[in-house]
Amino acid sequence: MTSLRPRGAGSPDGTEVGFAAIELVAGLALLLLPVAIVVLTLPTWAERQTTGRAIAREVARRTAASGVCDVAAARELAGSMARNLGVPPGDAHAAIGCEPGAVLDPGSTLEADVTVRMPAVHLLGIGDLGAWTWTARHREPVDVYVGAP
Protein backbone atom coordinates (compact mmCIF):
# COMPACT_ATOMS: atom_id res chain seq x y z
CA MET A 1 0.00 0.00 0.00
CA THR A 2 1.22 3.50 -0.74
CA SER A 3 1.20 6.13 1.91
CA LEU A 4 0.02 9.57 1.02
CA ARG A 5 2.24 12.44 2.11
CA PRO A 6 1.16 15.99 2.42
CA ARG A 7 2.67 18.32 -0.17
CA GLY A 8 6.05 19.72 0.93
CA ALA A 9 6.65 17.12 3.60
CA GLY A 10 10.13 16.34 2.28
CA SER A 11 11.58 12.85 2.25
CA PRO A 12 9.52 9.78 3.19
CA ASP A 13 11.08 9.61 6.62
CA GLY A 14 10.36 13.34 7.27
CA THR A 15 14.01 14.39 7.84
CA GLU A 16 14.44 16.70 4.82
CA VAL A 17 13.85 20.29 5.76
CA GLY A 18 14.29 23.23 3.37
CA PHE A 19 15.02 26.90 4.00
CA ALA A 20 13.10 28.58 1.20
CA ALA A 21 13.41 32.05 2.68
CA ILE A 22 17.20 31.84 2.95
CA GLU A 23 17.51 30.34 -0.53
CA LEU A 24 15.33 33.08 -2.01
CA VAL A 25 17.33 35.88 -0.40
CA ALA A 26 20.65 34.28 -1.39
CA GLY A 27 19.43 33.78 -4.95
CA LEU A 28 18.33 37.37 -5.23
CA ALA A 29 21.54 38.70 -3.76
CA LEU A 30 23.88 36.53 -5.81
CA LEU A 31 22.04 36.55 -9.14
CA LEU A 32 19.87 39.61 -9.44
CA LEU A 33 21.91 42.22 -7.58
CA PRO A 34 24.97 42.13 -9.91
CA VAL A 35 22.71 42.25 -12.97
CA ALA A 36 20.79 45.20 -11.53
CA ILE A 37 24.01 47.09 -10.79
CA VAL A 38 25.26 46.62 -14.36
CA VAL A 39 21.88 47.66 -15.78
CA LEU A 40 21.93 50.81 -13.64
CA THR A 41 25.52 51.58 -14.74
CA LEU A 42 24.97 51.19 -18.50
CA PRO A 43 23.33 54.62 -18.94
CA THR A 44 26.34 56.25 -17.27
CA TRP A 45 28.68 54.60 -19.78
CA ALA A 46 26.56 55.78 -22.72
CA GLU A 47 26.32 59.28 -21.25
CA ARG A 48 30.09 59.55 -20.78
CA GLN A 49 30.76 58.31 -24.33
CA THR A 50 28.35 60.85 -25.79
CA THR A 51 29.89 63.60 -23.67
CA GLY A 52 33.41 62.67 -24.80
CA ARG A 53 32.38 62.72 -28.47
CA ALA A 54 30.68 66.11 -28.10
CA ILE A 55 33.67 67.65 -26.34
CA ALA A 56 36.16 66.26 -28.88
CA ARG A 57 34.04 67.56 -31.76
CA GLU A 58 33.68 71.06 -30.32
CA VAL A 59 37.34 71.37 -29.26
CA ALA A 60 38.50 70.35 -32.75
CA ARG A 61 36.04 72.71 -34.47
CA ARG A 62 36.92 75.76 -32.39
CA THR A 63 40.66 75.18 -32.65
CA ALA A 64 40.50 74.58 -36.40
CA ALA A 65 38.32 77.66 -36.89
CA SER A 66 40.73 79.87 -34.92
CA GLY A 67 43.70 78.77 -37.02
CA VAL A 68 46.05 78.71 -34.02
CA CYS A 69 46.85 75.75 -31.76
CA ASP A 70 45.75 77.06 -28.36
CA VAL A 71 46.06 74.14 -25.92
CA ALA A 72 44.97 76.18 -22.88
CA ALA A 73 41.77 77.33 -24.61
CA ALA A 74 41.04 73.75 -25.69
CA ARG A 75 41.42 72.46 -22.13
CA GLU A 76 39.31 75.30 -20.75
CA LEU A 77 36.57 74.59 -23.30
CA ALA A 78 36.70 70.86 -22.48
CA GLY A 79 36.41 71.55 -18.74
CA SER A 80 33.51 73.97 -19.23
CA MET A 81 31.62 71.54 -21.48
CA ALA A 82 32.25 68.64 -19.10
CA ARG A 83 30.78 70.60 -16.19
CA ASN A 84 27.79 71.69 -18.27
CA LEU A 85 27.14 68.10 -19.42
CA GLY A 86 27.28 66.67 -15.90
CA VAL A 87 30.72 65.05 -15.87
CA PRO A 88 32.57 65.63 -12.58
CA PRO A 89 35.64 67.91 -12.71
CA GLY A 90 38.77 66.02 -13.67
CA ASP A 91 36.91 63.16 -15.38
CA ALA A 92 37.41 64.56 -18.91
CA HIS A 93 40.79 65.56 -20.36
CA ALA A 94 41.32 67.06 -23.82
CA ALA A 95 44.41 66.98 -26.02
CA ILE A 96 44.88 68.38 -29.50
CA GLY A 97 47.32 67.11 -32.09
CA CYS A 98 49.40 70.21 -32.78
CA GLU A 99 52.27 72.17 -31.28
CA PRO A 100 51.10 74.76 -28.72
CA GLY A 101 51.01 78.24 -30.26
CA ALA A 102 51.64 77.00 -33.81
CA VAL A 103 49.69 78.44 -36.71
CA LEU A 104 47.64 75.68 -38.35
CA ASP A 105 48.25 75.01 -42.02
CA PRO A 106 45.20 75.83 -44.15
CA GLY A 107 43.74 72.63 -45.58
CA SER A 108 45.39 70.39 -42.97
CA THR A 109 43.52 68.20 -40.52
CA LEU A 110 43.43 68.74 -36.76
CA GLU A 111 42.71 65.88 -34.35
CA ALA A 112 41.28 66.32 -30.86
CA ASP A 113 41.28 63.53 -28.27
CA VAL A 114 39.12 63.57 -25.16
CA THR A 115 39.69 60.92 -22.51
CA VAL A 116 36.75 60.33 -20.20
CA ARG A 117 36.77 58.33 -16.96
CA MET A 118 34.16 55.56 -17.11
CA PRO A 119 32.92 54.17 -13.78
CA ALA A 120 32.97 50.37 -13.59
CA VAL A 121 30.01 50.42 -11.22
CA HIS A 122 27.87 53.43 -10.41
CA LEU A 123 25.86 53.13 -7.20
CA LEU A 124 23.29 55.81 -6.49
CA GLY A 125 24.01 57.63 -3.27
CA ILE A 126 27.39 55.92 -2.85
CA GLY A 127 29.33 56.89 -5.96
CA ASP A 128 31.59 55.15 -8.43
CA LEU A 129 33.54 51.98 -7.71
CA GLY A 130 36.43 51.23 -10.05
CA ALA A 131 36.96 52.89 -13.40
CA TRP A 132 38.63 52.78 -16.76
CA THR A 133 39.19 55.44 -19.41
CA TRP A 134 37.61 55.79 -22.83
CA THR A 135 38.94 58.09 -25.55
CA ALA A 136 36.89 59.91 -28.18
CA ARG A 137 38.65 61.30 -31.25
CA HIS A 138 37.48 63.85 -33.78
CA ARG A 139 39.30 65.07 -36.88
CA GLU A 140 38.42 68.49 -38.24
CA PRO A 141 39.76 70.06 -41.44
CA VAL A 142 41.37 73.47 -41.05
CA ASP A 143 39.64 75.99 -43.29
CA VAL A 144 41.55 76.64 -46.50
CA TYR A 145 40.80 80.36 -46.24
CA VAL A 146 41.50 80.74 -42.51
CA GLY A 147 44.41 83.13 -43.10
CA ALA A 148 42.82 85.06 -46.00
CA PRO A 149 41.94 88.72 -45.31
Side-chain angles (χ1 to χ4, degrees):
M1 209 165 146
T2 12
S3 69
L4 297 174
R5 290 184 286 145
R7 183 180 277 181
S11 63
D13 61 358
T15 59
E16 185 178 324
V17 179
F19 295 99
I22 293 174
E23 292 170 5
L24 178 65
V25 170
L28 288 175
L30 295 175
L31 298 176
L32 292 181
L33 190 61
V35 171
I37 289 172
V38 170
V39 167
L40 291 173
T41 304
L42 285 175
T44 304
W45 296 342
E47 177 187 24
R48 296 282 177 102
Q49 287 179 352
T50 302
T51 300
R53 287 185 192 111
I55 294 171
R57 187 172 43 246
E58 190 60 28
V59 165
R61 285 180 182 168
R62 286 213 187 158
T63 305
S66 73
V68 177
C69 182
D70 190 355
V71 176
R75 288 187 180 146
E76 182 180 331
L77 175 62
S80 173
M81 285 187 71
R83 280 188 305 278
N84 290 339
L85 294 171
V87 175
D91 279 4
H93 302 283
I96 50 179
C98 57
E99 292 295 322
V103 176
L104 302 175
D105 295 328
S108 65
T109 302
L110 176 73
E111 184 175 289
D113 298 338
V114 174
T115 302
V116 181
R117 183 180 174 273
M118 304 287 278
V121 175
H122 179 72
L123 301 173
L124 297 174
I126 296 174
D128 299 338
L129 301 174
W132 73 89
T133 57
W134 184 83
T135 302
R137 290 187 173 87
H138 182 78
R139 297 182 71 156
E140 186 73 22
V142 178
D143 189 8
V144 177
Y145 302 106
V146 74

